Amino acid sequence: MGYVRGFIPWIASGVVSGFDWRWGAVAGLVIGLLLLVQDRRRGVAPDALVLEASSVVYFVVIGAIAFASPDSPLERWNGVLSFVWLAGTAWGSLAVKRPFTLGIARRQTPEEYWDLPGFVAVNNVITAVWAAGFTFIVVALAVCEAAGAPEWLAWTARVSGLVAPAVFTRIYPARVQARMEAAAATDADA
């Protein structure tokens, strides 16, 4: 649920932006702030809220641009820009060696595992998959927009670029853990 919740402001913004991109930015900002404040009050650590904090910054920036220049050519590219921002957040978190999924995973994993190299490595891979998914969406949406492709094709790209990392995130850690347990069992038998 941690990942899905982080996308609620983006979904709200996308829906409202269909009517007016200015109010889409406001919707994303308000919902993002509400979720961020709610999580902090519940004691969620800041490193588990990288995506949420990044989202709030995006909506402030795009909202300022949208209200300052409602007819800006950026409006046409708002969907692409939102995924550029998400991709930048994911790739940036890897670049600074703090994958954005690490804090989320810590919420669901006992503390004795947090500093294990394998735990960090798994989150590096998961974050890279999310970054690749966001990057795929950026490229697909840019091509769709430039080519005037039908909207269903752009939606297919969005869904594919989000569902694939979500499924991977669900499956990959369990597979890694199963491999480690199998290796430990083999070592114990030897």
Side-chain angles (χ1 to χ4, degrees):
M1 180 64 180
Y3 295 99
V4 174
R5 194 167 191 271
F7 290 112
I8 293 172
W10 297 94
I11 294 166
S13 176
V15 169
V16 177
S17 288
F19 302 101
D20 187 317
W21 74 310
R22 294 171 295 183
W23 298 109
V26 170
L29 176 61
V30 169
I31 292 171
L33 282 171
L34 288 173
L35 292 174
L36 193 59
V37 168
Q38 183 183 50
D39 284 340
R40 288 300 296 143
R41 283 188 176 161
R42 288 184 321 167
V44 176
D47 71 337
L49 300 171
V50 172
L51 182 63
E52 290 82 349
S54 175
S55 298
V56 166
V57 172
Y58 174 80
F59 291 122
V60 166
V61 170
I62 203 70
I65 293 168
F67 277 97
S69 181
D71 296 324
S72 170
L74 287 181
E75 178 182 11
R76 176 180 175 201
W77 298 98
N78 189 25
V80 175
L81 291 172
S82 65
F83 285 101
V84 166
W85 191 273
L86 287 168
T89 299
W91 290 118
S93 74
L94 286 170
V96 298
K97 300 188 185 315
R98 299 293 301 169
F100 84 90
T101 61
L102 194 59
I104 298 167
R106 284 182 176 154
R107 293 176 66 186
Q108 305 162 4
T109 306
E111 192 171 347
E112 61 265 18
Y113 297 103
W114 292 3
D115 294 324
L116 294 177
F119 181 72
V120 175
V122 164
N123 280 281
N124 279 325
V125 171
I126 291 171
T127 298
V129 169
W130 278 101
F134 296 145
T135 303
F136 165 78
I137 296 169
V138 168
V139 172
L141 291 182
V143 169
C144 285
E145 183 65 35
E151 189 59 28
W152 68 264
L153 195 56
W155 276 105
T156 301
R158 286 182 189 99
V159 170
S160 300
L162 293 172
V163 169
V167 169
F168 182 84
T169 298
R170 192 98 161 120
I171 294 171
Y172 181 68
R175 288 199 176 161
V176 169
Q177 184 176 2
R179 278 195 307 253
M180 290 173 60
E181 289 170 359
T186 302
D187 290 344
D189 291 340

